[in-house]
Amino acid sequence: MENSGIVTLTRQAGLLREMQTVANNIANISTAGFRAEGVIFAEYVAQLEGANGGSLSMANASGRMIRMQQGDIDPTGGSFDFAIEGEGFFLIQTPEGDRLTRAGSFSPSATGELVNPDGHMLLDAGGAPIFVPPDVENVSLARDGTLSADGRPLALLGLWQPVDPADLSHRGGVQFAVDGEMQPVLEGATILQGFIENSNVDPVGQIARMIEVQRAYEMGQGFLEREDERVRGFLRAIGSTQ
């Protein structure tokens, strides 16, 4: 394959990956706590073999970025619905290890622990599960994150974030893993009771981006088809002279 075809194929692969990312963002417009993602394109330069040497510049779209802007916060009135206003994530315990999330819809399990809809336990500021007695009538959350039941403190809700933002990686749905160390968020954030943070996906922007990516992909596909026809025509011409 000629160099022009290789360069176009790497670009097409990156555009396809971005199209999948944009489609996933649009599919999660209504998912509480969802964080939109984007694809980062970079230049990859490969050295060419042969007497002339030289190099070939190609597209590399293996990087991803997570959009961390605040999503809209809507009231629900639920005693165990929490929204983060500011930085930070809730810490939940999953079979794959501890995960971060902005989705704050929880409920007491059959054994009293606060869990999310997937059954993963919410952890407090010390990394321990939060237990809610079954006979409580009034659950309240103070501004400092103290969760109380009938006037008795139960736990201190903790907010966490990665020490290095680059260590945050999306693990499907509304969960994130941290490849490095985590640290508590001590200021600049408030937990609101009776509210849920919506997805931070910009619907208009994402649909517009999908159209742009689709047009760019179609343009590259057209180039590959014309290049294929050119090569076929050349081979037919060579064959007819022999």
Side-chain angles (χ1 to χ4, degrees), residues 107-190:
S107 61
S109 67
T111 54
E113 293 90 357
L114 275 187
V115 298
N116 67 2
D118 295 324
H120 302 148
M121 291 187 291
L122 173 65
L123 304 181
D124 63 14
I130 299 174
F131 178 78
V132 179
D135 56 347
V136 299
E137 297 181 359
N138 181 39
V139 176
S140 61
L141 182 69
R143 297 285 295 182
D144 65 353
T146 300
L147 187 68
S148 301
D150 295 336
R152 297 181 308 225
L154 295 178
L156 179 64
L157 295 188
L159 294 180
W160 304 81
Q161 63 184 3
V163 175
D164 184 354
D167 290 335
L168 193 67
S169 58
H170 196 187
R171 293 301 169 88
V174 292
Q175 296 181 19
F176 297 89
V178 178
D179 298 328
E181 297 182 357
M182 289 188 295
Q183 63 185 2
V185 178
L186 301 178
E187 57 183 19
T190 303

Side-chain angles (χ1 to χ4, degrees), residues 32-94:
F34 183 81
R35 285 291 176 268
E37 285 190 306
V39 174
I40 300 174
F41 281 81
E43 182 183 24
Y44 174 73
V45 180
Q47 292 297 126
L48 298 178
E49 298 179 357
N52 295 329
S55 61
L56 183 65
S57 176
M58 296 175 287
N60 181 10
S62 59
R64 291 206 172 194
M65 63 177 181
I66 302 171
R67 186 171 178 264
M68 300 305 299
Q69 283 84 347
Q70 178 87 46
D72 293 335
I73 295 178
D74 288 342
T76 64
S79 299
F80 300 107
D81 287 342
F82 307 121
I84 303 172
E85 192 174 48
E87 298 180 351
F89 295 83
F90 297 112
L91 185 63
I92 58 175
Q93 187 179 80
T94 76

Side-chain angles (χ1 to χ4, degrees), residues 18 25 34 73 82 95-96 100 141-142 181 192 230-231 233 238:
E18 184 173 12
N25 289 340
F34 183 81
I73 295 178
F82 307 121
E96 294 77 30
L100 299 178
L141 182 69
E181 297 182 357
L192 306 177
R230 184 186 68 83
V231 173
I238 291 296

